[in-house]
Amino acid sequence: MATLTFLGAAGTVTGSRYLLEAGGERLMIDCGLFQGPKELRLRNWANFPVTPQSIEWLVLTHAHLDHTGYIPRLVKQGFRGPIFASAATVDVAKLLLLDSAYLQEEDAAYANKKGFSKHKPALPLYTHQDALESLNRFHAVDESKPLELSSHFSLRFLRAGHILGARIIEVTVSDSGQTRRLIFSGDLGRNHQLVIREPEVPETGDFLLMESTYGDRLHPTDDFRERLASIVKTTASRGGTVIVPAFAVGRTQELLYVLRELLETKRLPSLPVHVDSPMAIDVTDLYRQHHEDHNLPMETIEAQGVKPFSPSGVHFDRSPEESKALNDSRFPVIIISASGMATGGRVLHHLARCLPDPRNTVLLVGFQAPGTRGHSLQSGAQFVKMHGAMVQVRASIQSMDNLSAHADAGEIMQWLGRFRSPPRQTFLVHGEPRAAEALRQKIVATLGWSVDVSSYLLKLHL
Ligand SMILES: [Zn+2]
């Protein structure tokens, strides 16, 4: 009999990994890194719950590291199968994994230099070379037909919204004369995202694994263009800098798109916008190339000579020298820099410099997982720890969830309401316990479906 095991994203938003077993074969869906609190991050270092050599295939919903960031380590530990994903996901994941390896190595080197790690020497979870080797296993899927892996597994990909390349994966599992259909929602996007098309709706399935990141919340409905303009203008009038720790994939491109509109329509005075993240710059190029997921009329836009992701006065700062030069900037300026939850990357240097000055603003534009610096800032921390030192927080901290790439509770309910018939069983994944429980109650009360919140390492007979 086929089984499903929850290897992550159970009771938390990170570490998405699910294992399907049928007819003695193993298929893994997503292979994410655990991020946030230390007890979760330690799972990245523990032995993998099943032997990596015994897994035949890996399939990815999308490129975010909480769905892909463990791949180099899985390959290092012996996984030898192909990794399937949409063409855009393959391209984006390559960038993210190399960057992730770079950050792992940089953090380990920095910890060794400063001697603040308990581990001597501090080691990276994986290296650049490990990441490069894992990239050889990636294959872009032909989405025009089902992906038949074997007599036991057949897959279909549906648009998930969320970010470039994101997909919902429908898996048909056959074992011992029984056939089951499972739907992995991956991360579900919103109905009206700026750049990426809305999610498709599967007809139904026996089992649905539904993300619940915003299961207890609704996104604000105020005019985010107005709010962004007001935050930038207020900060600029004090002579301050706006630092936006932004996810390199999706959020950066949407911010650039909105800033271009605001500058073009003179709702913002002209001021320099810096994208200080080589990866965000590379991903912006991929957003330009992969039109298949866009709801923007790219051909029309570009025929008119408009570069959708290039506001006037934008600087794409690739080199470390350009990044360091920003430390001396004295005029009002917007700096968009990764990582989005301030867990690493160049944004740390900007935060260390800008947080103690009350003229500056830190604008958080995405979900901040508990345990991250972004979450501490959002929760009103007076100090945050950066590279072993405590940095005082006197800058204004603002949050804007309007640009979220995740459906909120209302949008999830709408999406579920469009299923042709209820799944036999729905499992909520990828959510903090409170968000998942709130969504569970809402689905039960509104749709009358049978819903459980998933738990780590739970193994289910299908
Ligand atoms: Zn995601």
Side-chain angles (χ1 to χ4, degrees):
M1 189 191 276
T3 61
L4 164 70
T5 312
F6 296 85
L7 298 182
T12 166
V13 293
T14 66
S16 280
R17 311 161 170 180
Y18 311 103
L19 186 73
L20 277 169
E21 296 174 88
E25 293 174 335
R26 287 176 160 169
L27 163 67
M28 193 162 148
I29 313 286
D30 283 348
C31 185
L33 207 56
F34 285 101
Q35 296 161 317
K38 193 168 185 185
E39 65 269 24
L40 280 181
R41 281 184 283 125
L42 284 174
R43 285 187 193 164
N44 296 324
W45 294 91
N47 284 334
F48 199 72
V50 294
T51 325
Q53 287 93 331
S54 69
I55 302 167
E56 269 83 8
W57 312 274
L58 170 59
V59 184
L60 305 175
T61 58
H62 66 291
H64 275 150
L65 287 179
D66 59 326
H67 296 256
T68 62
Y70 191 81
I71 290 173
R73 190 148 173 107
L74 191 79
V75 172
K76 190 178 175 173
Q77 291 178 332
F79 171 73
R80 291 292 171 264
I83 302 170
F84 294 109
S86 72
T89 292
V90 170
D91 285 348
V92 179
K94 286 182 177 180
L95 291 176
L96 291 188
L97 290 178
L98 290 176
D99 186 69
S100 171
Y102 172 77
L103 292 178
Q104 301 277 353
E105 289 193 288
E106 200 185 36
D107 281 355
Y110 199 88
N112 287 326
K113 191 170 133 197
K114 296 283 177 184
F116 61 70
S117 171
K118 285 188 219 97
H119 306 279
K120 304 260 185 291
L123 293 173
L125 191 62
Y126 47 81
T127 63
H128 183 81
Q129 191 55 36
D130 297 329
L132 272 180
E133 276 164 30
S134 73
L135 299 185
N136 294 327
R137 320 218 138 261
F138 278 74
H139 300 272
V141 169
D142 173 1
E143 298 181 56
S144 65
K145 54 178 198 249
L147 174 64
E148 308 279 356
L149 294 178
S150 72
S151 58
H152 302 110
F153 297 105
S154 168
L155 282 69
R156 237 162 52 90
F157 293 74
L158 290 89
R159 230 175 32 239
H162 190 52
I163 61 162
L164 192 72
R167 299 290 181 263
I168 296 155
I169 301 179
E170 249 183 40
V171 187
T172 305
V173 186
S174 308
D175 193 8
S176 318
Q178 286 183 331
T179 298
R180 302 277 183 263
R181 186 187 291 172
L182 289 93
I183 299 165
F184 296 82
S185 75
D187 287 3
L188 193 71
R190 309 192 61 189
N191 292 336
H192 302 288
Q193 277 181 236
L194 272 175
V195 179
I196 298 295
R197 290 168 77 188
E198 75 289 351
E200 293 179 272
V201 184
E203 291 189 347
T204 191
D206 298 289
F207 300 94
L208 166 65
L209 277 73
M210 180 73 223
E211 73 122 320
S212 55
T213 317
Y214 282 93
D216 58 346
R217 268 168 295 172
L218 297 176
H219 294 315
T221 52
D222 58 332
D223 182 349
F224 66 92
R225 287 177 175 83
E226 202 51 56
R227 175 112 200 282
L228 178 62
S230 145
I231 290 170
V232 173
K233 279 194 280 191
T234 309
T235 310
S237 69
R238 320 189 272 257
T241 292
V242 181
I243 306 278
V244 192
F247 298 93
V249 188
R251 210 60 42 84
T252 296
Q253 293 73 35
E254 291 184 327
L255 276 168
L256 290 172
Y257 189 83
V258 176
L259 286 169
R260 179 186 58 79
E261 285 183 335
L262 292 173
L263 287 160
E264 271 175 11
T265 52
K266 308 268 185 265
R267 292 164 80 182
L268 268 186
S270 62
L271 80 174
V273 177
H274 287 267
V275 182
D276 184 26
S277 155
M279 205 198 16
I281 299 169
D282 289 338
V283 175
T284 305
D285 287 339
L286 290 180
Y287 264 71
R288 289 190 190 104
Q289 286 164 29
H290 283 281
H291 294 190
E292 63 271 21
D293 287 356
H294 283 197
N295 61 25
L296 300 176
M298 286 293 281
E299 284 80 7
T300 331
I301 290 178
E302 287 183 340
Q304 291 164 349
V306 175
K307 293 181 176 170
F309 307 116
S310 297
S312 66
V314 71
H315 301 261
F316 292 101
D317 300 309
R318 241 175 225 286
S319 71
E321 292 71 32
E322 287 170 305
S323 177
K324 283 184 195 127
L326 287 175
N327 291 339
D328 301 324
S329 60
R330 286 290 171 266
F331 38 79
V333 56
I334 301 172
I335 300 174
I336 302 170
S337 186
S339 71
M341 300 187 203
T343 48
R346 287 184 183 177
V347 79
L348 294 190
H349 300 284
H350 298 302
L351 289 174
R353 179 172 62 89
C354 291
L355 280 173
D357 186 338
R359 289 175 302 172
N360 300 323
T361 299
V362 176
L363 176 57
L364 301 165
V365 290
F367 183 80
Q368 305 295 321
T372 61
R373 285 188 197 86
H375 189 263
S376 302
L377 290 172
Q378 203 166 42
S379 316
Q382 305 274 306
F383 290 88
V384 282
K385 198 172 179 185
M386 238 148 350
H387 289 144
M390 297 308 276
V391 176
Q392 193 180 11
V393 181
R394 296 183 66 218
S396 161
I397 310 295
Q398 303 282 337
S399 293
M400 230 174 68
D401 271 342
N402 310 58
L403 289 178
S404 173
H406 285 270
D408 67 14
E411 288 163 325
I412 291 174
M413 291 306 297
Q414 274 178 29
W415 186 75
L416 295 175
R418 291 169 62 199
F419 275 51
R420 208 179 54 189
S421 57
R424 183 144 55 90
Q425 187 66 34
T426 296
F427 289 95
L428 298 179
V429 296
H430 201 288
E432 296 299 324
R434 215 171 63 181
E437 179 54 27
L439 185 63
R440 189 191 70 78
Q441 290 179 15
K442 203 178 303 255
I443 300 174
V444 171
T446 312
L447 299 171
W449 291 10
S450 172
V451 188
D452 275 322
V453 176
S454 64
S455 51
Y456 185 52
L457 296 181
L458 170 75
K459 185 171 184 171
L460 200 74
H461 293 272
L462 303 175

